[in-house]
Amino acid sequence: MAEMLDLDCVVVGGGVVGLAIARELAMSGRDVVLLEAEPITGSITSARNSEVIHAGLYYATGSLKAELCVSGKHRLYDYCRERNIPHRACGKLVVAASEEEVGYLEKLSRQAAANGVEDCYLIDAAELARRQPQIRGFAALVSPSTGIIDSHGLMQAYTADIEANGGAVICNSPVIKGEFTADKVRLAVGGRDPVEIETCLVVNAAGLNSWALSESLSGLDASTIPPRHYAKGCYFALTGRAPATQLIYPVPEPGGLGVHLTLDLAGQARFGPDVEWIETIDYDVDPSRADKFYSAIRRYWPNLVDGALQPAYSGVRPKIAGPAAGGGDFVIQGPEQTGHPAYVALYGIESPGLTASLAIGQRVARLAE
C-alpha cells in the first residue's frame, strides 16, 4: 500500500506557468509541492516555443490573454533584470505584405492601444527598408516592447525561488487519479515511489494534460471542463545569417500569429510556427512542410534562397476553441468555477503564457486564498 502524505498545497505541472504559480504560492507563505510527470521541468510546451516576450497587441480587449500578457510583460522584464536572466527587448515589426494588409495594421495599432500597449507606431515602406534592408512590405507596425528570453534560465530562477521559500519541485511524479473529499483532494501519484497525497489545495497547471487530469478526478462536475483542441506548430531553422535584427511577423492567421522570423539570444534565426490542427499529440517535423514556409516567408523576405531551411522542432498549443473560433482565451477557474474549495484548474494556457507567467501566478494565488 502506498504511503499517505498530508500536504498544504500541490501544483501539478512543471512548465513555466506551473513553476510561476508554485513560486507565487510559496512566496505568499504556502507550503508548496510541485509535481512534474517528466524527468525534468519545462520539457514539453515550455521548451517548444518561440521564447518571445509578447507585448500584448493581438488579444481581445478585456480577455485574460490581453490583461495577463500586458501586466506579465512588465513584471517579466523587471524580474529578468533583477535576476540577470538573459533577455533582450529587440522589438518586432508586423509587416503588411499587400495594400489590403495595411488596413489590418492600423486596426492592430488601435487594438494594442486599447490593451494598454502604448508604444506601437506605424512606419511606411521606405522606413521599413531603411531599418531592415532585406525585409519588404507596404508598411509595418513597430512593437518596441516585444523581446526574447532564455526560457530555461527563467524556469531555473522560478525553481530557485520555490526552493528558497520552502517549496519542493519533484519530477518523475505523474498524477494517476484523484478524488474530492469534503474540503480536500486526494491524489494517487505514480512513478518509482508511488504515494497517496491528501492536500488542502490542488492547482492543475498540467498544460496539454490539464483536461486528462480533471477527467481523472472523481467528483468533479464534467461540465466545468472546457472543450479541448490541439494546434501543432513546426519550426524551421535558417542556415546562414538572419535577414533582420528584429523579430519579423506577418499578419496573423487563424489559430496562430503566422510564420514569423524569431531570433535566439545568439542571433540565430528560425521561422515558425505554422498551424496544423491535430487530434493526437506528436512532435515530428515533416520536411515537406517547408514548401509552405518558403512561400510564406518570401512575402516579407523575397531573397530567401532554396534549401536554406532545415527542420528544427515542433510544439503543440493547448486550446479551448478550434479553428473557427480562433483558439479561444485562457481559462483560469477558481474554486467557485470548479465547484470545489480545494481545486483550481487552468486550461488553454498557450502563448502568451510564458510572458504572462508571473501575472498568472499572482492571479492563481489570489483565487486560492
Side-chain angles (χ1 to χ4, degrees):
M1 191 172 156
E3 182 189 359
M4 173 67 84
L5 301 177
D6 199 3
L7 300 177
D8 173 34
C9 179
V10 171
V11 176
V12 182
V16 68
V17 170
L19 289 165
I21 292 167
R23 170 190 178 273
E24 190 73 34
L25 289 167
M27 292 178 74
S28 74
R30 301 290 298 253
D31 289 327
V32 180
V33 172
L34 182 145
L35 301 177
E36 167 55 46
E38 298 297 318
I40 56 171
T41 56
S43 62
I44 308 292
T45 310
S46 298
R48 297 173 171 275
N49 58 50
S50 301
E51 293 191 300
V52 170
I53 301 174
H54 288 286
L57 317 183
Y58 303 95
Y59 317 110
T61 305
S63 67
L64 281 179
K65 283 184 177 180
E67 178 194 337
L68 298 174
C69 180
V70 174
S71 64
K73 168 189 68 177
H74 295 301
R75 289 191 64 193
L76 186 56
Y77 275 124
D78 289 345
Y79 185 76
C80 286
R81 285 188 286 268
E82 285 164 21
R83 302 300 296 270
N84 294 315
I85 296 160
H87 70 288
R88 187 163 76 247
C90 56
K92 87 171 177 187
L93 302 170
V94 185
V95 176
S98 67
E99 201 79 71
E100 298 77 45
E101 289 183 353
V102 177
Y104 173 83
L105 294 187
E106 291 165 350
K107 186 175 147 202
L108 184 59
S109 179
R110 293 191 294 272
Q111 179 71 54
N115 288 351
V117 186
E118 291 162 357
D119 58 355
C120 293
Y121 57 93
L122 286 158
I123 58 174
D124 61 16
E127 178 63 12
L128 173 61
R130 189 188 71 74
R131 292 185 183 204
Q132 302 293 350
Q134 295 199 57
I135 304 302
R136 293 283 175 273
F138 284 73
L141 182 68
V142 182
S143 170
S145 61
T146 300
I148 51 178
I149 184 170
D150 172 5
S151 59
H152 293 280
L154 176 66
M155 289 188 281
Q156 285 168 354
Y158 286 170
T159 302
D161 286 347
I162 294 164
E163 292 172 345
N165 286 277
V169 175
I170 304 173
C171 293
N172 291 311
S173 299
V175 175
I176 310 301
K177 61 180 181 177
E179 62 176 328
F180 291 149
T181 61
D183 58 353
K184 292 189 176 184
V185 184
R186 192 168 289 162
L187 300 175
V189 181
R192 205 167 43 195
D193 301 306
V195 293
E196 299 255 325
I197 289 172
E198 192 163 74
T199 177
C200 302
L201 174 68
V202 170
V203 179
N204 175 356
L208 293 166
N209 292 314
S210 290
W211 289 267
L213 176 59
S214 284
E215 287 160 1
S216 77
L217 295 177
S218 170
L220 180 67
D221 180 354
S223 71
T224 67
I225 305 173
R228 164 178 30 197
H229 299 271
Y230 297 138
K232 181 177 175 180
C234 292
Y235 291 83
F236 283 78
L238 177 71
T239 52
R241 286 187 62 180
T245 56
Q246 293 175 293
L247 310 184
I248 307 295
Y249 280 61
V251 164
E253 60 182 306
L257 300 182
V259 172
H260 51 263
L261 162 66
T262 185
L263 306 166
D264 65 21
L265 288 159
Q268 288 293 301
R270 58 184 181 267
F271 292 91
D274 58 356
V275 178
E276 178 190 0
W277 295 90
I278 59 174
E279 293 296 320
T280 54
I281 294 168
D282 81 86
Y283 296 107
D284 295 339
V285 180
D286 179 356
S288 72
R289 294 189 80 81
D291 298 344
K292 285 186 177 172
F293 273 67
Y294 282 104
S295 56
I297 295 162
R298 284 175 179 145
R299 293 190 74 221
Y300 56 81
W301 181 29
N303 295 336
L304 172 65
V305 298
D306 286 339
L309 300 179
Q310 301 297 322
Y313 60 93
S314 73
V316 176
R317 309 191 269 284
K319 293 178 178 282
I320 61 155
D329 198 7
F330 294 159
V331 172
I332 302 176
Q333 297 177 341
E336 211 171 293
Q337 290 78 35
T338 65
H340 193 276
Y343 192 50
V344 174
L346 291 81
Y347 306 94
I349 309 294
E350 46 149 352
S351 178
L354 186 154
T355 305
S357 55
L358 288 166
I360 293 172
Q362 197 171 43
R363 169 69 58 100
V364 169
R366 279 206 305 270
L367 287 173
E369 279 173 359

